[in-house]
Amino acid sequence: MTSDLPNKRFLILCTLRIGDVLLTTPLIRSLRKAYPDSRIGVLVLKGMANVLEGNPDIDEIIESPHRTTLWNRLKEWHGLWRRYTYALSPVSSDRARFYAFLAAPFRLGFINAHTSSFSRRLLTHALLFDDETLHTVPHNLRLLEPLGIPPDGTVVPPTAGGSIPVQLSEKKYAVVHPYPKFTYKSWPLENWVQLVREIQKTSMLVVLTGSHAPDEKAVVREIARLTTALDLSGTLSLAATADLIKKAQFFVGPDTGITHLAAATGIPTLTLFGPTNPVKWGPWPTTQNCAQQPWHHQGSQHQGNVWIIQGSGPCVPCHQEGCDRHAHSKSLCLETLPVNAVLDVIQTLALAS
């Protein structure tokens, strides 16, 4: 199946959120390394392309709107029709499989137990999705097996050129990203305030990052008000945020896409985990061998440049949306995670440096 691949066109489909898109970059890097002259496109949902900014392995990015008119959707589908030779989808969804069917004659993707027989037939090579025991990076790389392509586990962060805000040049700083997308992954605001104050006692400048979403900016603004940390929320693109993080002394954040991005830059990355399964979704260390699993199911852990600080409890990780089973629920394991658990790791980093 690989004899005539060098002249082919590949499309990677990831119709999920920023963190999911970022974790497809090892798949893209593997294709680029194996066949540098092939053309590689990536299809993502509208608004997710910024996590791929500056990625040298990608020739084109296609943004698909969540919702649009039937006429615009038909034009989109017509524009995709067999533009590629191979379509690879790490997402197990009917939408991704259908777009793969439109885009290429050879289609590799995942199915699970509830995938309909019709949707399964949209793929020419179907693999069973593992949502429990295999990390997302090596899981995505399984799509290379039918093609005989060696895997490369490098997660490629976005970049806007490498510059950082002028007020931070020649200064040592830590980046704290306090706000996750979902409440059930959140840590109490007072804990973030205490953490920032303790870091500031070491004469380290603390920079707060976040999106321009009103709720997120309000939380970050309040932490900045109570600590005098530098609030850059809503002022940087995702790629510029990656450039900022890359030059930091260390990063602290919850279980969210920016934390995956921080880990990909190679700096020491501390992340707070509660309900989420770290085996599947722990940030990927930059030196990790993609043939090995970096994380265990339970317990605080360290691999490479990443520290997972996990809340405690007999149900951890429950794989649920918090204690009340919805996105706005609190998670007791995170609510009770002490600040000292994070400070102990920071102290270890300080001693090592």
Side-chain angles (χ1 to χ4, degrees):
M1 190 174 179
T2 61
S3 60
D4 61 345
L5 278 180
N7 298 319
K8 302 304 182 184
R9 298 164 66 91
F10 297 94
L11 179 66
I12 312 300
L13 303 106
C14 188
T15 51
L16 290 173
R17 294 182 288 271
I18 283 173
D20 305 277
V21 176
L22 180 68
L23 295 183
T24 66
T25 57
L27 182 61
I28 300 164
R29 170 59 56 92
S30 300
L31 290 170
R32 179 59 70 204
K33 285 182 67 176
Y35 299 104
D37 296 328
S38 295
R39 186 165 181 82
I40 299 175
V42 184
L43 186 146
V44 298
L45 294 176
K46 190 172 182 61
M48 301 296 131
N50 49 6
V51 77
L52 301 174
E53 182 177 341
N55 189 313
D57 301 323
I58 299 171
D59 294 304
E60 66 174 328
I61 300 173
I62 302 168
E63 291 191 85
S64 178
H66 289 265
R67 294 179 179 84
T68 188
T69 64
L70 176 60
W71 175 246
N72 285 338
R73 192 66 79 190
L74 290 172
K75 287 196 297 183
E76 178 191 35
W77 294 345
H78 181 265
L80 275 178
W81 181 253
R82 299 300 150 99
R83 280 179 57 186
Y84 299 88
T85 317
Y86 293 86
L88 294 82
S89 174
V91 178
S92 180
S93 75
D94 292 336
R95 179 175 186 167
R97 286 184 284 268
F98 178 68
Y99 274 64
F101 171 79
L102 293 173
F106 299 100
R107 305 172 297 277
L108 301 91
F110 291 105
I111 58 172
N112 46 36
H114 62 262
T115 302
S116 69
S117 59
F118 171 79
S119 191
R120 292 178 187 222
R121 288 195 293 269
L122 295 174
L123 300 173
T124 56
H125 296 76
L127 292 79
L128 188 62
F129 191 83
D130 182 349
D131 197 31
E132 184 72 26
T133 64
L134 189 61
H135 191 279
T136 300
V137 168
H139 186 272
N140 291 347
L141 292 172
R142 290 175 57 209
L143 293 172
L144 300 172
E145 294 172 6
L147 301 175
I149 295 175
D152 184 311
T154 304
V155 178
V156 181
T159 179
S163 62
I164 63 173
V166 64
Q167 66 265 43
L168 296 174
S169 61
E170 301 183 7
K171 291 184 179 179
K172 289 187 176 182
Y173 61 90
V175 173
V176 172
H177 185 90
Y179 197 89
K181 182 177 179 64
F182 302 111
T183 303
Y184 70 88
K185 296 182 177 184
S186 65
W187 203 35
L189 185 144
E190 59 268 24
N191 287 13
W192 288 112
V193 170
Q194 183 183 346
L195 176 67
V196 170
R197 285 173 175 168
E198 292 298 325
I199 296 172
Q200 289 174 324
K201 288 179 181 178
T202 67
S203 300
M204 178 84 67
L205 178 65
V206 176
V207 180
L208 302 172
T209 57
S211 75
H212 52 73
D215 289 349
E216 184 164 0
K217 281 186 65 66
V219 168
V220 177
R221 188 183 304 115
E222 181 65 6
I223 296 171
R225 184 185 70 83
L226 294 171
T227 64
T228 69
L230 178 61
D231 176 8
L232 293 183
S233 62
T235 66
L236 301 175
S237 68
L238 200 60
T241 299
D243 292 334
L244 171 78
I245 292 171
K246 188 173 184 177
K247 295 182 180 179
Q249 300 299 299
F250 60 87
F251 170 94
V252 185
D255 167 26
T256 194
I258 297 296
T259 301
H260 289 288
L261 186 154
T265 68
I267 72 160
T269 299
L270 289 64
T271 182
L272 313 181
F273 261 59
T276 305
N277 179 12
V279 171
K280 184 71 177 176
W281 292 110
W284 187 255
T286 52
T287 57
Q288 182 65 32
N289 183 337
C290 60
Q292 299 175 342
Q293 286 285 90
W295 306 117
H296 303 294
H297 202 238
Q298 289 183 316
S300 295
Q301 311 163 61
H302 169 218
Q303 288 289 342
N305 64 308
V306 178
W307 284 257
I308 290 179
I309 304 164
Q310 189 182 58
S312 61
C315 55
V316 177
C318 65
H319 306 191
Q320 302 293 331
E321 294 183 327
C323 298
D324 298 325
R325 307 296 191 258
H326 59 81
H328 300 291
S329 167
K330 296 288 187 179
S331 297
L332 184 62
C333 53
L334 286 170
E335 293 291 304
T336 58
L337 179 62
V339 176
N340 282 341
V342 184
L343 292 174
D344 287 347
V345 176
I346 294 174
Q347 180 64 24
T348 301
L349 290 173
L351 292 173
S353 63

